[in-house]
Amino acid sequence: MGVLTQDMRDILASAMLAFVATVRRDGSPSLSPKASTIPYDDDHLLFVDIASPQNHRKSAERSEDRNQ
């Protein structure tokens, strides 16, 4: 069973804007609006990061590493 429920998918489908939150290396939060967030599969989200691609990608990769 995946992490994303049908309710979560429905919210993403109807939302005009979603926010992606990650944690920077120093422990501070980073929050960024994303108008492109969609489910990729049952466990992952996909979004286009145009405004701050380096910061959120690096934070997300570190978050993924901590969760494994």
Side-chain angles (χ1 to χ4, degrees):
M1 181 176 173
V3 174
L4 298 175
T5 66
Q6 187 58 49
D7 285 340
M8 292 174 182
R9 290 173 175 274
D10 292 344
I11 290 169
L12 287 169
S14 66
M16 296 299 293
L17 185 64
F19 289 86
V20 174
T22 57
V23 178
R24 294 183 184 107
R25 188 175 302 277
D26 66 3
S28 63
S30 178
L31 183 66
S32 181
K34 307 291 181 212
S36 61
T37 306
I38 60 170
Y40 178 74
D41 60 22
D42 288 342
D43 295 307
H44 298 90
L45 296 175
L46 178 68
F47 60 87
V48 178
D49 199 356
I50 297 168
S52 58
Q54 296 303 316
N55 295 336
H56 274 285
R57 193 181 97 232
K58 289 177 183 175
S59 293
E61 288 170 353
R62 283 193 303 274
S63 295
E64 183 68 23
D65 290 341
R66 284 191 298 266
N67 292 328
Q68 292 182 8

